[in-house]
Amino acid sequence: MSRQDDLKQMAAAAAVDRLQSGMVVGLGTGSTTRFALERIAELIRAGRLERIIGIPSSIQTETAARELGIPLSGLEAHAVIDITIDGADEVDPDLNLIKGGGGALLREKVLAQASRRNIIIVDASKLSERLGTRWALPVEVVPFARAAEERFLASLGAAVALRTRNSIPVLTDQGNLLLDARFGPITEPGRLAAQLSGRAGIVEHGLFVGLAHEVFVAGAEGIRHLQRNG
Ligand code: 5RP
């Protein structure tokens, strides 16, 4: 395992420590969350976590959780989630996030908004003074609106790229397209989020403003625990 994987695993273990038997747990998406899934499964097998119900944020996570033997359900049965554990692409000092590197931003945000508590797990490379410095902002658009929303994002100053894999457009779990909008450092994430949310063709965007309650950051000096003020 690489050093970065070690760090991801450490952050994941710290977050999973917060879980208690009987909780409904939102399961994020990505390589860091994968370590959390493995840890949850390990604690279930050891009898240290009982009656856990996982709500997956993507087909990828659902498949992995099933393989690991984590009991799953959906929001129709459990509309309120106790704790969601998820990764992030970028974290600013106010604990605002860019998410969606794995393309699951819509369902991840649905889970985050349905959760009493959101715990984010990252390695130290994800910290950034301003969102957008290191990462393009993923924006999920309906295929019908692609050209119009590309133009709109460009009008806001972003360099826009359609996300592809092997030259084929990536489709989200909803069958939508992803535009990666490179804004550079974003000075007012809340304002940009509102502008994007006002567009009919934009299904969701990867700015998570005011949603993370705490972040576990694993780095060379160990785990840092950041909590949102207010
Ligand atoms: C998926 C996400 C992921 O949480 C984010 O991309 C971080 O992924 P990783 O843990 O693999 O670095 O938002 O949509």
Side-chain angles (χ1 to χ4, degrees), residues 8 29-33 86-89 99-105 108 126:
K8 290 179 181 183
T29 296
S31 57
T32 318
T33 301
D86 202 349
D89 301 305
K99 286 186 50 56
L105 60 146
E108 289 173 332
K126 306 289 185 71

Side-chain angles (χ1 to χ4, degrees), residues 54-122:
I55 314 285
S57 61
S58 62
I59 294 170
Q60 180 194 321
T61 292
E62 180 177 345
T63 306
R66 272 195 208 296
E67 282 170 8
L68 288 163
I70 299 172
L72 297 179
S73 185
L75 288 172
E76 57 292 344
H78 299 278
V80 180
I81 295 170
D82 293 303
I83 291 180
T84 286
I85 299 177
D86 202 349
D89 301 305
E90 229 175 304
V91 179
D92 80 6
D94 295 324
L95 307 195
N96 296 321
L97 316 171
I98 284 183
K99 286 186 50 56
L105 60 146
L106 171 64
R107 296 192 193 187
E108 289 173 332
K109 198 177 280 187
V110 171
L111 295 198
Q113 292 177 343
S115 297
R116 293 196 171 99
R117 202 139 192 91
N118 288 303
I119 305 182
I120 300 300
I121 48 178
V122 292

Side-chain angles (χ1 to χ4, degrees), residues 138-218:
V139 178
E140 179 167 348
V141 298
V142 291
F144 175 76
R146 172 193 162 181
E149 301 313 337
E150 270 176 351
R151 203 177 145 80
F152 173 70
L153 292 165
S155 78
L156 297 179
V160 187
L162 177 70
R163 195 178 300 182
T164 59
R165 192 174 301 124
N166 301 325
S167 306
I168 296 168
V170 169
L171 293 184
T172 66
D173 286 350
Q174 291 70 236
N176 292 317
L177 299 170
L178 288 165
L179 298 178
D180 287 311
R182 193 164 290 285
F183 283 96
I186 297 168
T187 44
E188 293 179 272
R191 182 157 175 270
L192 179 59
Q195 284 175 307
L196 300 177
S197 296
R199 294 289 293 189
I202 293 180
V203 180
E204 198 42 84
H205 55 81
L207 281 172
F208 282 47
V209 178
L211 284 172
H213 296 96
E214 43 190 313
V215 179
F216 285 103
V217 185

Side-chain angles (χ1 to χ4, degrees), residues 2-15:
S2 72
R3 176 67 186 141
Q4 198 180 22
D5 282 346
D6 283 341
L7 297 177
K8 290 179 181 183
Q9 191 175 38
M10 278 165 61

